């Protein structure tokens, strides 16, 4: 009696390590690379150069700053300038400004302000003028002038003028020689919307009441004296 032969099956054993390991991907040298655009590189270089030049310019200007005279407090036109009215300021040299150096402060102190000097503004040779203030020993009267009562050209501080009492419309002595008073312009205001300008004049204390009366009645004219 034959006994059934046992069928043997053999399984090929595999290495677990090789069974779980993923397939390797080959690395090649042919992978594409993103190139840099020459235009962008050029722009970046240009920006860097401009920035460097700008920084150098600021440093250079800061190094070249000079000390000049500036106004420390308000100084009305026609008033003498004192040392307390001035302060030192640092600015970059500019031929268009022509400020006065701090070393020349002695040349400015004692002179008269040619215009109204406001704090923070620079002192120039046009800011002052020679001589004592025009108001020294004189009274100052403000004249409200309308177009036709003064010369068309702008009056300047220190101008010698003649104040003329204009006649009234019903004055029978209109042909007579009008009364006149000598004066000096102390300040000239800005014109308003109607062209009216206030002109401050310095006159002798003896004449100031008459000038004030002429001004109050609007019967006054200003004549600029001829310069010799």
């Amino acid at each position: 009696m034959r006994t059934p032969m046992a069928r043997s099956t053999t399984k090929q054993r595999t290495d677990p390590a090789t069974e779980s390991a993923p397939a390797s991907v080959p690395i090649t040298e042919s992978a594409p690379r993103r190139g840099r655009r020459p235009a962008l590189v050029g722009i970046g270089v240009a920006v860097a150069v401009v920035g460097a030049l700008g920084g150098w310019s600021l440093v250079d200007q800061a190094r070249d700053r000079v000390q000049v005279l500036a106004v420390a407090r308000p100084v009305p036109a026609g008033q003498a300038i004192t040392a307390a009215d001035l302060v030192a300021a640092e600015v970059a040299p500019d031929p268009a400004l022509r400020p006065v150096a701090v070393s020349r402060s002695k040349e400015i102190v004692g002179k008269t302000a040619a215009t109204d000097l406001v704090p923070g503004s620079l002192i120039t040779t046009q800011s002052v003028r020679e001589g004592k203030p025009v108001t020294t020993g004189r009274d100052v009267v403000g004249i409200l002038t309308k177009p036709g009562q003064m010369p068309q050209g702008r009056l300047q501080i220190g101008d010698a003028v003649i104040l003329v009492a204009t006649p009234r419309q019903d004055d029978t002595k209109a042909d007579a020689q009008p009364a006149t008073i000598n004066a000096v312009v102390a300040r000239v205001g800005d014109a308003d919307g109607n062209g009216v300008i206030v002109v401050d004049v310095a006159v002798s204390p003896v004449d100031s009441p008459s000038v004030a009366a002429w001004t109050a009645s609007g019967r006054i004219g200003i004549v600029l004296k001829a310069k010799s």
Side-chain angles (χ1 to χ4, degrees), residues 23-226:
S24 60
V25 178
I27 300 176
T28 64
E29 297 291 337
S30 60
R33 296 182 180 179
R34 176 177 292 181
R36 296 183 180 179
R37 297 182 180 178
L40 295 179
V41 174
I43 293 175
V45 173
V47 171
V49 171
V50 171
L53 291 176
W56 178 85
S57 177
L58 290 176
V59 172
D60 188 63
Q61 288 183 5
R63 188 186 303 118
D64 292 341
R65 286 180 174 271
V66 294
Q67 284 196 330
V68 298
L69 292 176
V71 182
R73 58 185 184 182
V75 182
Q79 179 174 307
I81 300 174
T82 66
D85 299 327
L86 305 175
V87 66
E90 289 188 352
V91 298
D94 189 341
L97 296 179
R98 296 183 180 178
V100 177
V102 171
S103 58
R104 297 175 53 194
S105 59
K106 292 183 179 179
E107 302 176 18
I108 302 300
V109 174
K111 290 186 178 180
T112 302
T115 59
D116 291 337
L117 303 180
V118 296
S121 60
L122 299 181
I123 295 292
T124 66
T125 53
Q126 287 74 32
S127 302
V128 298
R129 64 180 185 83
E130 298 287 350
K132 295 181 179 179
V134 297
T135 58
T136 301
R138 300 178 181 178
D139 293 344
V140 178
V141 182
I143 302 176
L144 193 67
T145 61
K146 300 178 182 179
Q149 290 182 282
M150 60 180 291
Q152 182 67 27
R154 187 176 178 84
L155 294 173
Q156 302 293 328
I157 296 174
D159 284 344
V161 295
I162 301 175
L163 306 180
V164 181
T166 57
R168 299 185 182 90
Q169 293 182 354
D170 57 350
D171 196 341
T172 57
K173 298 181 180 180
D175 295 334
Q177 185 72 16
T180 60
I181 293 176
N182 291 324
V184 178
V185 176
R187 186 178 182 277
V188 181
D190 296 325
D192 63 11
N194 298 320
V196 177
I197 299 175
V198 176
V199 179
D200 291 344
V201 294
V203 297
S204 169
V206 177
D207 298 324
S208 57
S210 299
V211 176
W214 298 349
T215 301
S217 60
R219 300 186 307 105
I220 191 170
I222 300 178
V223 179
L224 179 63
K225 295 182 69 173

